Amino acid sequence: MSNQENGGRSRRGSSDQACSTPDSPKLTTSRSPSPSLSFGSIDPGSPMGLGDNDPNVLKSFKPIDTNETLEVPTDKPYMINPPPRDRPVRLYCDGIYDLVHYGHMRALEQAKKSFPNVYLMVGMNNDSETHRRKGKTVLTEGERYESMRHCRWVDEIIADAPWFVTQEFLDEHQIDYVCHDDLPYASTESDDVYAFVKAQGRFLPTQRTDGVSTSELITRIVRDYDKYLRRNLERGMSPKDLNISFLKEQELNLQKHVSDIREQIKKNIRGTREDLAGELEDLKAELRHTKLFWEDRRQDFVRGFSSMFGSQVEKIFGRKRREDEGALLGNGLATKRIRREQSKSSLASKASTNELN
């Protein structure tokens, strides 16, 4: 079955969780509840919601509320059977669950909270089937099973689950509903692998969480491949561990050296700019202080100068003033004399002219 990539946050729960394989007896792992919480009134299949009200927990998504009724969606193009009322509702989710992320967890949380009392089973495909149909996984099947075992929403893990849900599988595990987002999942054998489950009214849709998937996480690593190689080399892993050649190792070392030089240059430039800015601010402050100091002392200097040299200054400026006044007076008399001479000359000229006429 395709890897289920719907959302959720993983926290620890109190319900017993089993892991069953075709060739081994069911293994049950009991989780010890916190001593500060009381579980006396909680059924094994009930969602715990631990940490949902914790103000220190970052909640990036709208919380998923538990459906306190036994109602099912009625707006789907397929029928959904009413749930049983005398026992926990047995739900089944399936997938590869490689690199388990919050998208997986939100899908499982939605399933767990679909009804007040739910027993959630998760079927996980083995490596052989997954590699043949989807390609190589990052985690082995044992690692994937163990990762899912720690999910608080899950009550039972069914290892080596079939790629396609069959009627025999539904009956064997007494599954009331198969949970998945309701987009058609096509395969070489069918246009929608859940079509026969929907036809029986035993399909319960969940909401897909966009923006995260195992493929997207792998893409991030591949996109920054060299950065992660350098990261692991710096942490002490050998080129052999990372399956890279000697030339690749030298290339990464050169990249790191260039990156370190760039960072050092940026750091020095930032440091130089900050130092210059600090020195300029200090200089401005000193100039402002000096200006205020001399403005305050200016009147004192004027008064002190006047008290010491006032009489001499007055004599000098008095003599100068008298000289200037005398010069102005002399200039005035000379001007009058010139005007009189000009007037006499003008009268003589007019007299001569009259005689000639």
Side-chain angles (χ1 to χ4, degrees), residues 55 66 78 88 94 105 135 164 172 196 233 246 264 286 296 299 338:
T66 301
Y78 45 84
D94 61 355
M105 297 299 105
F164 301 111
E172 177 186 356
F196 89 96
L233 285 172
F246 173 79
Q264 189 64 34
E286 186 175 348
D296 292 340
Q299 297 297 331
I338 292 171

Side-chain angles (χ1 to χ4, degrees), residues 119-296:
Y119 185 81
L120 180 59
M121 296 165 282
V122 174
M124 302 182 70
N125 314 119
N126 62 32
D127 283 348
S128 176
E129 188 79 1
T130 301
H131 295 170
R132 184 171 66 87
R133 291 180 176 272
K134 293 276 288 186
K136 183 174 176 56
T137 57
V138 178
L139 302 179
T140 65
E141 59 185 44
E143 291 169 331
R144 292 187 285 113
Y145 300 159
E146 182 65 17
S147 297
M148 187 57 67
R149 189 177 67 82
H150 293 275
C151 176
R152 56 176 281 205
W153 309 114
V154 179
D155 298 299
E156 180 181 345
I157 296 170
I158 303 175
D160 195 19
W163 193 262
F164 301 111
V165 176
T166 63
Q167 187 65 53
E168 292 76 17
F169 186 83
L170 292 176
D171 296 340
E172 177 186 356
H173 295 279
Q174 303 175 28
I175 296 171
D176 295 310
Y177 300 104
V178 174
C179 297
H180 206 283
D181 64 82
D182 57 1
L183 295 175
Y185 275 78
S187 68
T188 55
E189 294 87 349
S190 172
D191 292 334
D192 185 0
V193 298
Y194 296 112
F196 89 96
V197 181
K198 292 176 181 177
Q200 295 183 23
R202 299 169 75 174
F203 185 85
L204 190 66
T206 56
Q207 182 65 41
R208 185 183 184 88
T209 299
D210 294 328
V212 63
S213 68
T214 298
S215 297
E216 199 271 338
L217 295 178
I218 294 174
T219 299
R220 294 185 196 178
I221 297 172
V222 172
R223 183 179 57 217
D224 296 324
Y225 172 71
D226 283 356
K227 292 181 181 179
Y228 287 111
L229 283 178
R230 283 162 48 191
R231 168 186 178 273
N232 285 357
L233 285 172
E234 291 169 9
R235 294 191 174 194
M237 297 189 71
S238 68
K240 183 178 179 181
D241 293 332
L242 298 172
N243 195 29
I244 60 175
S245 66
F246 173 79
L247 291 178
K248 185 64 177 179
E249 180 189 10
Q250 298 309 308
E251 177 189 344
L252 294 171
N253 289 335
L254 179 60
Q255 289 178 4
K256 181 180 183 304
H257 184 64
V258 172
S259 177
D260 290 343
I261 292 175
R262 287 177 177 172
E263 289 300 320
Q264 189 64 34
I265 292 173
K266 290 180 181 179
K267 182 179 178 180
N268 290 338
I269 290 175
R270 285 195 298 268
T272 302
R273 288 177 177 175
E274 292 172 358
D275 292 342
L276 288 175
E279 290 178 4
L280 287 174
E281 289 300 322
D282 292 342
L283 179 60
K284 289 179 181 178
E286 186 175 348
L287 289 174
R288 285 194 296 268
H289 177 74
T290 303
K291 179 183 177 183
L292 292 174
F293 173 80
W294 286 110
E295 285 180 349
D296 292 340

Side-chain angles (χ1 to χ4, degrees), residues 299-317:
Q299 297 297 331
D300 296 337
F301 278 112
V302 170
R303 284 192 294 269
F305 184 84
S306 299
S307 63
M308 292 180 63
F309 304 103
S311 57
Q312 288 85 352
V313 171
E314 181 62 28
K315 289 180 181 179
I316 294 171
F317 279 98

